[in-house]
Amino acid sequence: MRLPAAFEPNILDLSLDLLLPSRSVSKDVNSSRKYEQIKASIRELGLIEPLAISPADPKSGLHLVLDGHLRLQAVRELGLTSITCIVSTDDEGYTYNKRVNRLATVQEHFMILRALERGVAEERLARTLDIDVEGLRRRRDLLDGICGEVIEMLKEQNFSHEVMRHLRKMKPARQIECADLMCSLANFSVHYAAALLAATPPDQLVNPQRPKHFKGLNSSDMARMEQEMSMVQSRFKAIELSYGTDILNLVLARGYVSKILNNTAVTAYLQRNQPEFLDEFRAIVAATALDDSRVLAKTK
């Protein structure tokens, strides 16, 4: 079975007067960082991704914009009079880019490296990304001092460049341990990376002689944090190792309790002698999902 094409094959260069937005752009989005980057990219490189539009209305000749409202608004602000478009054969109401994965932080680093290797000037590349040259250089040097295992673990994640600044101060083994914790908890925030650095023993730092300084923390606070974080990490690892077995046991326990409650004699006995147990058993059986049940944990 051959699937129909989602777009017409020809790319059109249309006047802005022929485009009718299907939704309005809020002032908050219009002043966002993302919008400024789109506008800077169009100003420096031109429009890279055409707008997705509907076929022309037979009476008015207007096209409805299905996707690309920010690009359309940016082009208007830049004073351009036309824009490239592709005509969709399907007028679905969802945003096409909702299905697109955004560029990860590590991937952005490699993109910048390739652009610089091909001779793109730092100043122009910085203007295109709407950042200053110093910010571009930080992105360029993102992986300096980071071991390959950590790069592989974080290559598809989005995080602040400050996270790598904290990891860079650790030895490779500690970097891997911290990256593993971030991935397990899906927490890639700068604050969490700083907390992991604060809890890192001196012998796992690249420069152990260089004291760690964190606002509001003295040396005793740092020592206590290191000890507490080490305990938390040990407990987390232990839970992570036993998680699959625990879930299996909970599922089996739920099935066993369900069979018990199907026995009318047992149910009658519990109703007379242990009604509180019967209520708990019924709550266990009624639970529809393990993560949503507050009672399944009591079976452990």
Side-chain angles (χ1 to χ4, degrees), residues 79-228:
L80 303 178
T81 57
S82 63
I83 190 170
T84 54
C85 306
I86 51 176
V87 178
S88 172
T89 57
D90 190 353
D91 60 351
E92 288 285 353
Y94 63 80
T95 299
Y96 295 90
N97 281 336
K98 187 177 182 181
R99 311 300 174 189
V100 176
N101 290 327
R102 299 301 172 190
L103 193 65
T105 306
V106 173
Q107 293 170 348
E108 180 193 48
H109 159 79
F110 287 123
M111 179 196 72
I112 289 173
L113 281 186
R114 283 196 295 271
L116 294 173
E117 288 169 359
R118 292 173 182 175
V120 180
E122 287 186 344
E123 293 75 11
R124 187 183 182 194
L125 191 55
R127 289 196 303 269
T128 302
L129 298 174
D130 196 33
I131 56 177
D132 57 27
V133 174
E134 187 59 36
L136 177 73
R137 289 170 180 166
R138 284 196 297 269
R139 287 165 169 79
R140 179 198 63 191
D141 302 333
L142 177 75
L143 302 183
D144 289 358
I146 304 298
C147 68
E149 290 87 345
V150 171
I151 296 172
E152 184 66 23
M153 294 167 70
L154 301 180
K155 67 179 182 181
E156 296 181 357
Q157 306 299 334
N158 285 291
F159 51 85
S160 169
H161 303 84
E162 290 296 304
V163 170
M164 290 304 197
R165 182 173 67 84
H166 293 309
L167 292 180
R168 195 175 292 117
K169 297 178 181 178
M170 309 172 192
K171 291 182 178 179
R174 177 59 176 169
Q175 288 181 12
I176 295 170
E177 184 179 358
C178 292
D180 184 45
L181 285 170
M182 290 183 193
C183 293
S184 299
L185 297 176
N187 186 346
F188 304 96
S189 68
V190 177
H191 293 299
Y192 185 49
L196 292 173
L197 175 61
T200 301
D203 62 338
Q204 296 185 40
L205 295 174
V206 174
N207 294 314
Q209 297 83 10
R210 192 173 179 179
K212 296 175 289 186
H213 295 290
F214 293 92
K215 188 176 180 179
L217 296 177
N218 54 37
S219 57
S220 60
D221 293 331
M222 295 287 292
R224 186 171 64 254
M225 181 179 288
E226 289 178 7
Q227 183 179 9
E228 291 176 354

Side-chain angles (χ1 to χ4, degrees), residues 5-60:
F7 296 94
E8 293 182 2
N10 297 326
I11 297 178
L12 305 178
D13 190 42
L14 297 178
S15 169
L16 301 186
D17 296 334
L18 295 176
L19 301 176
L20 182 65
S22 58
R23 62 178 178 83
S24 60
V25 178
S26 68
K27 292 182 179 179
D28 292 339
V29 174
N30 215 13
S31 59
S32 66
R33 172 70 176 163
K34 176 184 175 182
Y35 177 74
E36 291 300 323
Q37 287 182 325
I38 291 173
K39 193 163 68 171
S41 175
I42 294 174
R43 182 174 55 244
E44 291 298 322
L45 302 177
L47 186 69
I48 297 173
E49 183 182 359
L51 272 60
I53 61 174
S54 68
D57 181 78
K59 294 182 179 180
S60 65

